[in-house]
Amino acid sequence: MGKPTGFMEFERVEEAYEPVEARLKHYKEFVITLSDDEAKTQGARCMDCGIPFCNNGCPVNNIIPDWNDLVYKGNWKQALDVLHSTNNFPDFTGRICPAPCEAACTLGINAAPVGIKSIEHAIIDKGWDMGWVVPQPASVKTGKKVAIVGSGPAGLAAAQQLARVGHDVTVFEKSSRLGGLLGFGIPDFKLNKTVIDRRVSQMQAEGVNFRTKVIIGDKHVPAGINNDATTVIPAEQLKKDFDAVILAAGSEVPRDLPVPGRQLKGIYAALEFLIPQNKEVQQGLTNPINVEGKHVVVIGGGDTGSDCVGTSYRQGAASVTQFELMPAPPEQEDKPLVWPYWPLKMRTSSSHKEGETKREFAVATKEFIDDGEGNVKALRAVRVEWKDGKMIEVAGSEFEIPCDAAFLAMGFTNPVGSLLDAFGVERDARNNAKATTDGEGCYHTNVNGVFAAGDVRRGQSLVVWAIREGRQAAREVDAFLMGDSILPR
Ligand SMILES: Cc1cc2nc3c(=O)[nH]c(=O)nc-3n(C[C@H](O)[C@H](O)[C@H](O)COP(=O)(O)OP(=O)(O)OC[C@H]3O[C@@H](n4cnc5c(N)ncnc54)[C@H](O)[C@@H]3O)c2cc1C
Ligand code: SF4
């Protein structure tokens, strides 16, 4: 513990943002990393409590008190080593993790929690600036070949772990760029894509082979799911050519809203809007959806909805309204009741504050209304109440709002089934790839040598959980191939 009285002396300092007016003119990251001195002071707020609940709250079990202390003492290089010992990509999580660790921070019981995520961000950005993040190629090769389907955080974490213990790893990706939802999906203003590209370069130097525009299994994917593939490799071929396969293909099927008028022009699944915007920013391809001067309604909260809000403001939307089916959560959580768990509370993202976002809670969409030419012009909704887990419409509460574009951001139901079918992988009750995470044979599907990790197994989740699963699955694959593994779980 660097400074025993730090938590009493110093206030929490948040990372600063570029002003709204300036950041709406571009799609670049706008968060300003803490200075070295600020990070040190924030590190000094850590109490190094006997039981570090933050370490348990973090899905990759980052050893947070240790790097807080090291940053406070100015041992940045060592802090980076400790951080990398549990997390392959703190540059991703330091930017876009919702930080469940901070909800579990003991200081958070009666004061503002330690700014763990901002310290993590400062450590990894300094690591890159100082040239400390270098390839770590294996000294001995095993001659075993592993195929990974999908280049999201689960696939990348698994690939890096397996390459570092000497396996020949190939990552197959159907998109034209690597990174999974981090590459195409999450806007550049939340995660600059050079952050992914420099990791890919590091991994290439570690021996990982990447193949983009290659789809594994069936070449057909449901409408609305990104597919840039020009090559198809059947599942049987992959199983024959490799000693083990990890399915890290995400959960891509969007939840739909089958109400009257859904077929009208101007109503899109969120990623039909966000992915082309990524392609416009990164590859110069024009996004066919432009909401300049339009009234936008985003249906669904969460990160995806919020990213539609921020992108709409950057395109110059006339207004943005966001609907949420559930009632408004409390502004502040009931700490004694929920700590150290992730609390239900009102979450306002930076995107919400980029305009006068109207947020409507406990509202259900009834119908999209036609302008007479097949375009959506308005949306009819009704207020709802929840009783005993059941949704009841409030009589007489129907209302209509103008809507020239609607984005459906109600989550993703399951992975693309044809991929699982192609491998003969059993599904769980929610149609995800069936595999456990603990005990013998974990991450192993019912098909010998075929493993599953990340959203394809657990359902729609978070980057930090995908990294955890990728790391843990890599250990199981290594043990499957070699009889034992030195990789950490
Ligand atoms: C808009 C949006 C915003 C989000 N914001 C956040 C956030 O701020 N913080 C956070 O923690 N999480 C966020 N998430 C969730 C997070 O992105 C995911 O949980 C995470 O990316 C899952 O990682 P994954 O590796 O399991 O799968 P994915 O990232 O989905 O990657 C799977 C990859 O597999 C590829 N693939 C699929 N099938 C095949 C096939 N047959 N052949 C070849 N390739 C295939 C796909 O093209 C994709 O690139 C967000 C999600 C969305 C949609
Ligand atoms: S990865 Fe997320 S939960 Fe873990 S320490 Fe970083 S911000 Fe916290």
Side-chain angles (χ1 to χ4, degrees):
M1 180 179 190
K3 186 147 207 241
T5 53
F7 70 98
M8 294 188 286
E9 288 175 47
F10 307 120
E11 296 289 323
R12 176 177 163 118
V13 170
E14 303 284 347
E15 290 177 313
Y17 294 165
E18 192 182 336
V20 170
E21 208 180 297
R23 73 188 196 234
L24 281 183
K25 295 193 179 120
H26 61 76
Y27 285 84
K28 297 191 201 107
E29 283 183 10
F30 54 82
V31 174
I32 301 158
T33 322
L34 298 181
S35 68
D36 286 7
D37 283 344
E38 282 170 335
K40 279 184 181 187
T41 312
Q42 292 306 297
R45 294 187 72 237
C46 178
M47 304 189 292
D48 193 14
C49 33
I51 298 172
F53 289 92
C54 56
N55 163 263
N56 210 34
C58 167
V60 289
N61 303 118
N62 275 340
I63 310 164
I64 297 160
D66 287 22
W67 41 259
N68 281 339
D69 182 39
L70 289 163
V71 167
Y72 172 66
K73 292 180 177 146
N75 293 334
W76 288 88
K77 171 83 172 59
Q78 224 182 322
L80 181 69
D81 291 343
V82 176
L83 181 53
H84 269 148
S85 72
T86 52
N87 186 353
N88 296 67
F89 310 120
D91 21 15
F92 304 167
T93 48
R95 285 173 165 75
I96 58 171
C97 185
C101 55
E102 294 185 14
C105 174
T106 310
L107 185 55
I109 294 174
N110 62 353
V114 175
I116 298 168
K117 178 179 162 187
S118 61
I119 300 172
E120 179 174 359
H121 190 183
I123 297 171
I124 184 58
D125 277 15
K126 191 171 185 71
W128 280 104
D129 289 348
M130 299 299 288
W132 293 332
V133 186
V134 290
Q136 298 173 35
S139 48
V140 180
K141 298 292 265 183
T142 63
K144 302 282 186 193
K145 291 166 74 181
V146 182
I148 297 181
V149 183
S151 67
L156 292 181
Q160 185 161 65
Q161 293 295 92
L162 288 165
R164 285 181 175 176
V165 289
H167 302 304
D168 283 330
V169 181
T170 304
V171 177
F172 296 93
E173 171 55 59
K174 66 177 162 58
S175 297
S176 54
R177 73 131 36 249
L178 298 162
L181 285 170
L182 275 60
F184 282 159
I186 295 180
D188 297 61
F189 56 80
K190 262 171 61 180
L191 184 92
N192 197 331
K193 306 313 163 189
T194 54
V195 172
I196 304 168
D197 297 342
R198 64 190 180 186
R199 280 294 179 188
V200 168
S201 301
Q202 181 198 28
M203 291 170 67
Q204 281 170 328
E206 291 169 347
V208 178
N209 181 21
F210 289 100
R211 292 189 59 190
T212 51
K213 296 195 193 174
V214 177
I215 190 163
I216 306 300
D218 190 339
K219 71 174 175 190
H220 301 290
V221 294
I225 294 180
N226 189 55
N227 183 11
D228 305 324
T230 50
T231 306
V232 190
I233 300 181
E236 281 311 315
Q237 185 68 42
L238 210 67
K239 281 200 280 181
K240 208 159 82 178
D241 293 348
F242 291 86
D243 299 299
V245 176
I246 301 181
L247 303 180
S251 174
E252 295 190 287
V253 179
R255 184 168 282 112
D256 204 5
L257 186 62
V259 297
R262 167 65 181 91
Q263 79 291 348
L264 294 173
K265 278 192 228 126
I267 303 162
Y268 311 95
L271 287 183
E272 290 183 282
F273 176 50
L274 295 176
I275 293 180
Q277 190 59 41
N278 285 133
K279 290 186 175 179
E280 179 171 310
V281 175
Q282 297 167 42
Q283 302 177 337
L285 304 168
T286 306
N287 186 349
I289 305 171
N290 192 300
V291 298
E292 187 176 358
K294 294 187 177 172
H295 297 291
V296 172
V297 181
V298 177
I299 301 176
D303 289 326
T304 307
S306 177
D307 291 350
C308 290
V309 172
T311 304
S312 298
Y313 283 133
R314 276 165 184 72
Q315 285 195 351
S319 72
V320 181
T321 304
Q322 191 172 23
F323 280 5
E324 175 60 66
L325 199 56
M326 301 307 288
E331 283 294 335
Q332 271 308 319
E333 71 270 40
D334 186 345
K335 264 274 154 53
L337 197 68
V338 294
W339 181 89
Y341 300 109
W342 183 244
L344 180 70
K345 68 171 185 180
M346 181 68 82
R347 295 182 194 277
T348 302
S349 73
S350 52
S351 291
H352 288 128
K353 295 183 188 161
E354 288 173 346
E356 291 183 12
T357 315
K358 194 166 178 222
R359 296 174 76 186
E360 296 272 11
F361 290 88
V363 159
T365 304
K366 296 283 281 181
E367 183 184 1
F368 293 107
I369 297 164
D370 197 336
D371 70 350
E373 294 182 7
N375 305 301
V376 62
K377 70 157 191 190
L379 183 155
R380 202 159 54 79
V382 65
R383 303 206 178 271
V384 296
E385 282 174 354
W386 290 86
K387 282 201 182 119
D388 303 327
K390 284 203 184 115
M391 190 182 87
I392 300 160
E393 294 185 2
V394 178
S397 71
E398 287 198 6
F399 65 97
E400 214 176 280
I401 59 163
C403 170
D404 309 309
F407 299 121
L408 311 181
M410 300 162 304
F412 300 83
T413 53
N414 53 275
V416 174
S418 55
L419 173 69
L420 304 185
D421 293 342
F423 281 91
V425 166
E426 271 178 26
R427 309 175 196 192
D428 66 13
R430 293 183 301 146
N431 272 329
N432 299 318
K434 189 173 173 185
T436 59
T437 55
D438 284 305
E440 205 180 321
C442 58
Y443 293 98
H444 210 155
T445 68
N446 59 305
V447 183
N448 189 40
V450 178
F451 295 75
D455 282 8
V456 76
R457 195 206 63 78
R458 62 183 294 114
Q460 180 200 9
S461 186
L462 295 174
V463 170
V464 64
W465 278 104
I467 295 173
R468 171 196 169 108
E469 294 215 353
R471 287 172 66 84
Q472 294 193 342
R475 186 179 193 283
E476 296 310 314
V477 170
D478 188 33
F480 169 78
L481 296 173
M482 309 303 290
D484 204 357
S485 179
I486 54 160
L487 286 173
R489 241 178 86 82

